[in-house]
Amino acid sequence: MSPNPLRNIPSVNDLLESPPLRKLVDGLSHNVVVSTVRTVLDEVREEVQTAASEMTLPSVSDLAERIARRIAQREVPLLRPVINATGILLHTGLGRSPLAEEAIEEMAAVARDYASLELDLATGERSRRILAVEELLKELTGAEAALVVNNNAGATMLTLSALAAGREVIVSRGQLIEIGGSYRLPDVMAASGVVLREVGTTNKTRLEDYARAIGERTAALMLVHPSNFVVVGFSAAVGLAELVGLGRREKLPVIHDIGSGALLNFSRFGFHGEPVARESIVAGADIAMFSGDKLLGGPQCGIVVGRKALVEQLERHPIARALRVGKLTLAALAATLRLYRDSEKAQLAIPLLRLLSTSVENLKNRAERLAPQMAAAGVVEQAEVVAGVTYLGGGSVPTQELSTWCVALKPAGISVDRLAAALRSGTPSVVGRVQQDRLLLDLRSVLPRQDTQLIVALEALCKAENGKRKAEYE
Ligand SMILES: *Cc1c(COP(=O)(O)O)cnc(C)c1O
């Protein structure tokens, strides 16, 4: 009878006594180490039992190394900072807009301590959390009232549920948008309990189309900014002012989903046709809603502004409670909005606006400075400075190009995909875009303070690659 191999597997205590793990128990946490030891021992038992032939058991020190590596991996957060060298300024996969220092400071301050979230410090009475941003939003948009929820999808669901559940909302067929796979307006409307009443055609919708569809069951008229596409050629859409005229005559609220939520006119950055929140209110929208982390350059949230009576109706709906934002979001948003009180200040302090207004000469100079340093890295055969075009992303101004400069890296000894992957998973992490056989690092979305970090990332990568080659050779 052959001896049971499971009996030769080291015990939890044997492993905890091994030097690498003893150090981790002291430095990190007894519980974390013990639970990882158990998990890895379970895996080894499984391997032994399913092995086709007799296998040699790993030694105590091999196992301890394996466990220590596992613990080290888990200690690195999966959500971590990334240098965005894709050139796409509002990259949803990379968390859209970075925050202004002012926003970070205010957020950190209320994160560290308790905060006056729902307490009026003057009277000691209970207050409402929206007060942190309400006056600023009213001032910046001209609206009577404001509400902030988790994101614009949430703002849309709340608005529709509170104002129109069980009834019809009229929308043009040209505006039934999809924003990334998980947001499709018809589905959001259905989930809000609203009946979608489509009018017009894909390319042309007229005011009479809306007027004819109005009936007993109509609850609202809705206008949606078709953020990520444009219809050109034989096309017509109804403007907000016209729709507001119809809404007033029929006593129906007009809901305007303006999407990216610019607080200032983006024509100063060369982008035309992006709706500005204040203009929507001035034109008479009863409710206007937009994202906080697109063109506004703030934290993820959905902002609703509009008539007081309607916003109050939204506040009272149970979904408002389910979608409410926490103190971190409110602090970051308040600080960002405060910067907008002076548009010059906003342009300097809000990273998104700063990146947008960086001159092409500046990008070119930086690319020229970086290229020779990058070419000196072992994994790079050639680093060339190239001009290019990029887009804002995040579902805004889809056809308007933005000039940019990139460093195009041709790898040495490894494939371009391996270079891209290694830079992504390195420290610092850098995400570029692969174009044919080169990796482009686009400076349009790189903050100047990150330039040297790009070099650090490449040098770290060379070290890691050398280590791997050495290991393969041995
Ligand atoms: C981006 C966008 C949304 C979704 O906003 P989130 O903040 O991502 O939920 C909804 N409507 C329009 C028009 C948009 O552009």
Side-chain angles (χ1 to χ4, degrees):
M1 204 173 82
S2 69
N4 180 357
L6 290 179
R7 287 178 43 192
N8 295 327
I9 292 177
S11 72
V12 174
N13 277 336
D14 290 345
L15 285 162
L16 289 179
E17 286 304 313
S18 69
L21 295 191
R22 207 156 45 191
K23 215 167 70 197
L24 284 175
V25 168
D26 292 342
L28 190 68
S29 145
H30 181 77
N31 289 346
V32 169
V33 179
V34 170
S35 85
T36 315
V37 168
R38 293 225 163 93
T39 310
V40 171
L41 285 181
D42 284 345
E43 286 169 12
V44 173
R45 275 186 210 106
E46 178 89 26
E47 282 163 27
V48 169
Q49 277 168 332
T50 55
S53 57
E54 211 160 295
M55 61 177 269
T56 41
L57 283 172
S59 67
V60 171
S61 71
D62 283 351
L63 265 180
E65 287 301 332
R66 179 162 151 189
I67 293 161
R69 262 201 313 276
R70 182 78 59 91
I71 291 169
Q73 275 167 6
R74 299 272 158 95
E75 286 300 301
V76 177
L78 284 175
L79 175 61
R80 57 197 185 105
V82 163
I83 298 176
N84 175 9
T86 63
I88 308 290
L89 289 174
L90 289 176
H91 195 300
T92 300
L94 299 180
R96 294 191 184 156
S97 48
L99 294 176
E101 285 305 324
E102 287 81 351
I104 296 162
E105 272 168 31
E106 224 158 292
M107 192 171 64
V110 296
R112 201 172 290 117
D113 290 310
Y114 293 98
S116 58
L117 185 59
E118 289 188 356
L119 182 71
D120 182 329
L121 296 178
T123 63
E125 307 268 319
R126 175 104 191 235
S127 71
R128 297 175 310 132
R129 61 181 65 203
I130 187 65
L131 292 181
V133 291
E134 192 176 38
E135 286 308 314
L136 284 162
L137 283 170
K138 281 158 66 174
E139 177 189 320
L140 293 167
T141 65
E144 292 173 8
L147 186 64
V148 178
V149 292
N150 181 61
N151 57 12
N152 194 20
T156 309
M157 284 197 89
L158 172 60
T159 302
L160 292 171
S161 306
L163 303 184
R167 291 187 293 152
E168 290 181 359
V169 173
I170 304 175
V171 188
S172 159
R173 289 200 168 87
Q175 296 172 1
L176 295 174
I177 53 167
E178 170 172 319
I179 312 267
S182 57
Y183 182 102
R184 305 180 106 191
L185 187 61
D187 298 344
V188 172
M189 295 184 87
S192 310
V194 163
V195 178
L196 164 62
R197 182 70 194 265
E198 304 175 23
V199 295
T201 62
T202 306
N203 55 330
K204 279 208 174 194
T205 303
R206 301 185 182 82
L207 194 63
E208 306 90 82
D209 296 323
Y210 290 91
R212 265 202 305 274
I214 294 174
E216 294 231 300
R217 300 188 60 207
T218 310
L221 310 175
M222 188 171 178
L223 199 74
V224 184
H225 179 55
S227 314
N228 50 10
F229 72 99
V230 283
V231 179
V232 291
F234 189 63
S235 68
V238 175
L240 178 61
E242 262 185 294
L243 201 62
V244 165
L246 178 63
R248 293 280 150 79
R249 284 197 294 282
E250 301 285 344
K251 301 206 163 32
L252 289 169
V254 173
I255 300 167
H256 191 196
D257 176 2
I258 62 178
S260 43
L263 285 183
L264 39 82
N265 197 323
F266 269 64
S267 55
R268 71 173 72 201
F269 304 114
F271 290 112
H272 303 285
E274 196 55 34
V276 179
R278 171 177 282 279
E279 286 166 11
S280 173
I281 296 298
V282 168
D286 298 286
I287 289 283
M289 47 206 185
F290 48 96
S291 304
D293 55 354
K294 289 186 182 172
L295 295 182
L296 197 151
Q300 179 194 304
C301 61
I303 298 168
V304 184
V305 292
R307 286 198 196 291
K308 195 163 196 289
L310 297 179
V311 173
E312 280 173 357
Q313 215 171 316
L314 265 56
E315 272 169 348
R316 285 194 299 269
H317 195 279
I319 288 183
R321 175 63 170 77
L323 295 176
R324 79 176 184 190
V325 289
K327 62 177 182 175
L328 303 185
T329 302
L330 286 168
L333 180 60
T336 308
L337 293 174
R338 219 169 284 126
L339 293 168
Y340 274 102
R341 300 179 81 184
D342 176 348
S343 63
E344 301 299 316
K345 205 162 155 186
Q347 206 168 314
L348 286 176
I350 294 173
L352 179 79
L353 303 186
R354 220 193 150 95
L355 290 169
L356 254 182
S357 48
T358 307
S359 69
V360 280
E361 292 75 39
N362 174 295
L363 300 180
K364 184 171 185 231
N365 287 340
R366 285 161 53 204
E368 281 170 349
R369 193 152 6 111
L370 287 169
Q373 298 176 62
M374 291 183 173
V379 287
V380 175
E381 186 186 309
Q382 189 193 46
E384 201 186 342
V385 174
V386 294
V389 287
T390 182
Y391 298 90
L392 248 171
S396 42
V397 283
T399 52
Q400 296 181 41
E401 295 177 340
L402 197 54
S403 306
T404 188
W405 282 87
C406 309
V407 182
L409 301 180
K410 202 168 176 188
I414 56 174
S415 71
V416 69
D417 288 332
R418 175 145 164 199
L419 176 65
L423 274 177
R424 276 199 310 272
S425 51
T427 308
S429 164
V430 178
V431 183
R433 63 173 196 267
V434 172
Q435 213 162 72
Q436 283 141 11
D437 56 347
R438 297 197 293 179
L439 177 65
L440 296 192
L441 300 181
D442 188 328
L443 294 184
R444 174 56 73 186
S445 50
V446 175
L447 297 157
R449 67 170 160 83
Q450 296 172 323
D451 283 4
T452 50
Q453 290 296 298
L454 292 175
I455 306 297
V456 170
L458 270 172
E459 282 167 356
L461 168 57
C462 292
K463 235 188 232 160
E465 285 296 322
N466 281 342
K468 248 183 237 164
R469 266 178 226 163
K470 221 172 115 208
E472 277 160 21
Y473 182 72
E474 285 165 6

